[in-house]
Amino acid sequence: VFSSSCATYGIPERLPLTEDSIQQPVNPYGYTKLAVERLLKEAEAAYGLRTVCLRYFNAAGADPDGDLGEGHDPETHLIPLVLFAAMGRRPLIEVFGSDYPTPDGTCIRDYVHVSDLAQAHLAAIEWLAAGKPSLAFNLGTGRGFSVSEVIKTAEKVTSREIPLRLCARRPGDPPVLISDSSKARDLLRWTPQFPDIEDQINHAWRWFSKNNS
């Protein structure tokens, strides 16, 4: 079971993205994920190795019970960085691009809870254990939230004002990435339990508040 990424699609020609969408990555992260997907296809042709590629959209949240969460150093994910700004662990949050063709000008992403991703991994293992064929699955909620919406939701969850600075766009950032994850729902019987961005941020906030070091 391979943790792939929606970054393999690059800048979408149409939305929402399905597993049949053209894969044209625009950044090194997407290139490397796509390279492994192709290597796995070659491994199956040569050795019969069956695989499931799970194309995550934006992983978010933390264990709802507060036992597990992110601990990256350096941290690069938006929601933790926003919460660090709320906690005073960083002076502000930088918003890269406010002139995208989106309702508020900031990038839109499809956020999927880490607990839901874990359940998808279990379902993928069961799929392969049952002798079923190699497939790729999108994992997202099918709903997008902009960077500005994430910040405003975090202010609501934390009851704190979050300072921000508008910056230039970063190369390789598609304006919008939203999933069609119906294939995972239909074949893996996977249904996200925490699709709401407020729940995802709230779980992450509890984790970081508990582990503020």
Side-chain angles (χ1 to χ4, degrees):
V1 178
F2 175 56
S3 296
S4 189
S5 170
C6 64
T8 63
Y9 296 118
I11 298 175
E13 294 183 353
R14 58 183 172 83
L15 291 169
L17 286 157
T18 68
E19 289 82 0
D20 295 328
S21 297
I22 296 173
Q23 291 178 285
Q24 295 179 325
V26 294
N27 56 47
Y29 181 72
Y31 298 145
T32 57
K33 291 293 189 181
L34 182 56
V36 175
E37 285 198 21
R38 289 175 173 169
L39 287 171
L40 291 175
K41 288 182 180 179
E42 296 296 334
E44 180 168 23
Y47 307 111
L49 176 67
R50 289 179 301 109
T51 62
V52 167
C53 293
L54 299 176
R55 294 175 187 158
Y56 299 3
F57 279 67
N58 280 50
D63 173 34
D65 294 330
D67 294 330
L68 295 171
E70 292 187 79
H72 301 153
D73 186 17
E75 182 57 72
T76 59
H77 294 171
L78 175 64
I79 290 176
L81 292 176
V82 168
L83 296 179
F84 289 172
M87 300 171 83
R89 289 177 59 174
R90 57 184 297 124
L92 50 79
I93 183 69
E94 293 179 317
V95 177
F96 294 100
S98 57
D99 59 348
Y100 284 99
T102 61
D104 61 27
T106 62
C107 286
I108 292 174
R109 295 292 183 266
D110 184 339
Y111 293 88
V112 56
H113 197 286
V114 289
S115 294
D116 291 326
L117 293 178
Q119 291 302 316
H121 276 260
L122 294 175
I125 292 170
E126 292 172 356
W127 173 270
L128 292 171
K132 294 181 180 179
S134 298
L135 284 176
F137 295 96
N138 286 341
L139 297 180
T141 65
R143 182 179 176 190
F145 296 92
S146 72
V147 173
S148 291
E149 287 176 315
V150 169
I151 294 171
K152 290 176 182 176
T153 304
E155 288 182 326
K156 177 182 176 182
V157 168
T158 64
S159 299
R160 301 183 186 185
E161 183 176 350
I162 298 173
L164 61 86
R165 179 170 65 212
L166 300 179
C167 304
R169 297 186 188 186
R170 292 182 301 191
D173 273 350
V176 183
L177 292 174
I178 298 175
S179 73
D180 177 343
S181 298
S182 57
K183 187 175 177 181
R185 295 172 190 264
D186 293 342
L187 298 183
L188 297 182
R189 300 290 186 258
W190 176 77
T191 302
Q193 299 302 301
F194 303 105
D196 188 78
I197 192 69
E198 187 170 337
D199 287 337
Q200 295 170 11
I201 292 174
N202 185 43
H203 293 165
W205 175 242
R206 285 191 293 187
W207 162 257
F208 286 119
S209 297
K210 181 180 176 181
N211 298 272
N212 185 18
S213 60

